[in-house]
Amino acid sequence: MRPTMRDVASAAGVALKTVSRVVNGEPGVHPGTAERVREAIERLGYSRNESARVLRRGRTATVGLVIEDVADPFYSALGRAVEDVTTAHGCLLLSGSSGEDPARERELIRTFCARRVDGLIVVPAGEEHSFLRPELDAGTPAVFVDRPPGPGLDVDTVLCDNDGGARLATRHLLAHGHRRIAFLGDRPSIYTASRRLHGYRAALGRLFDERLVSMRAPAPRDVRADLDRMLALDSPPTALFTGNGRLTTTALRALDGRPMALVGFDDFELADLLRPGVTVVAQDPASMGRLAAELLFRRLSGDGGPAEHLSLPVRVIPRGSGELPP
């Protein structure tokens, strides 16, 4: 059985209130008595029940996290960082995957709110979030991460520099002599995909060619068909910029050894071990998740300041795949 504060008080020969003061770091306890209490805590293996403490303050000690897909390495890293911060605050994380389905996202959020979570962290699938207004007005804080909320909600957001990262990737390829640069992006309704297309197009300027762009879900058959179509043009692309990690790995399989320079948005496991290594625009999903969770707990602690809108920097990691093929 888990030792209680009463067990500690009995072992140390002190009053229950004395143990409470030592555990909570309150003044008014003689140093020798405090040391005796700490020795009893160590000997019994007592640990404070943070969840019970939070519940006594009128909270449920739970946080709801809605992400796109827990199987995606980007979102698993983000979710783990959120969980670490949540655990450090003595709370439990409830999470679910929307699968890019706005109806599923809405259902998850409503389910979490019905369970009276203390706050929400959301990677939105949809563009309409007015259904959240009653919860926000009732005092449930929400932080949106990776993508902003729909119109009408001014809440904390943590994003990356999608436009800037796409410009960096495209300029990297331009600097290596490429003028025919293709772009594979996810569905244009997805905020990150549309912003990365915008940055790619801005960097190309007059070199932009709509025939070298495909925007749809990264299904292997579709990616292969798109690349086959582009490579069959009279002036085919010599380079490819992929808009996320899943598209990068799908494109590598579809190319099947065909020579094409490549830069992908998002780093991925073993990218440095391929030959040539895959050049990427890297963001930090762990930092994104950690910042979102820290923002949420600041709100839960009573910070009522204006909503914060953070944009995290990205960087190019050159590994050779962006160079002109021999």
Side-chain angles (χ1 to χ4, degrees), residues 113 116-120 132-143 155 296 299-300:
C113 290
R116 308 316 309 162
V117 294
D118 296 325
L120 293 162
L132 252 179
R133 175 57 61 192
E135 293 296 334
L136 296 173
D137 291 344
T140 302
V143 179
V155 296
L296 183 70
R299 301 305 182 192
L300 288 170

Side-chain angles (χ1 to χ4, degrees), residues 129-168:
H129 297 96
S130 61
F131 66 90
L132 252 179
R133 175 57 61 192
E135 293 296 334
L136 296 173
D137 291 344
T140 302
V143 179
F144 279 64
V145 61
D146 189 43
R147 309 165 187 175
L153 286 191
D154 184 25
V155 296
D156 295 317
T157 57
V158 182
L159 313 175
C160 88
D161 186 3
N162 292 285
D163 288 69
R167 288 194 298 269
L168 285 174

Side-chain angles (χ1 to χ4, degrees), residues 185-270:
D186 213 317
R187 286 165 285 186
S189 60
I190 297 174
Y191 171 83
T192 50
S194 65
R195 298 317 306 170
R196 291 168 193 177
L197 172 63
H198 183 271
Y200 155 84
R201 183 168 188 162
L204 280 179
R206 294 181 179 180
L207 294 175
F208 177 77
D209 184 345
E210 289 185 358
R211 296 176 299 170
L212 299 183
V213 173
S214 173
M215 299 286 289
R216 52 178 168 173
R221 180 180 298 177
D222 294 337
V223 169
R224 182 177 294 276
D226 289 332
L227 288 173
D228 288 345
R229 173 184 59 78
M230 294 175 184
L231 290 170
L233 294 171
D234 292 338
S235 181
T238 62
L240 173 64
F241 171 38
T242 49
N244 60 43
R246 282 182 291 188
L247 275 164
T248 303
T249 54
T250 303
L252 284 168
R253 291 189 177 97
L255 286 169
D256 195 22
R258 288 180 287 184
M260 180 177 282
L262 173 66
V263 176
F265 206 112
D266 288 332
D267 205 358
F268 61 97
E269 193 172 5
L270 304 182

Side-chain angles (χ1 to χ4, degrees), residues 108-131:
L108 281 168
I109 290 175
R110 284 176 169 161
T111 298
F112 289 152
C113 290
R115 292 177 178 271
R116 308 316 309 162
V117 294
D118 296 325
L120 293 162
I121 297 175
V122 181
V123 177
E127 298 178 348
E128 205 287 315
H129 297 96
S130 61
F131 66 90

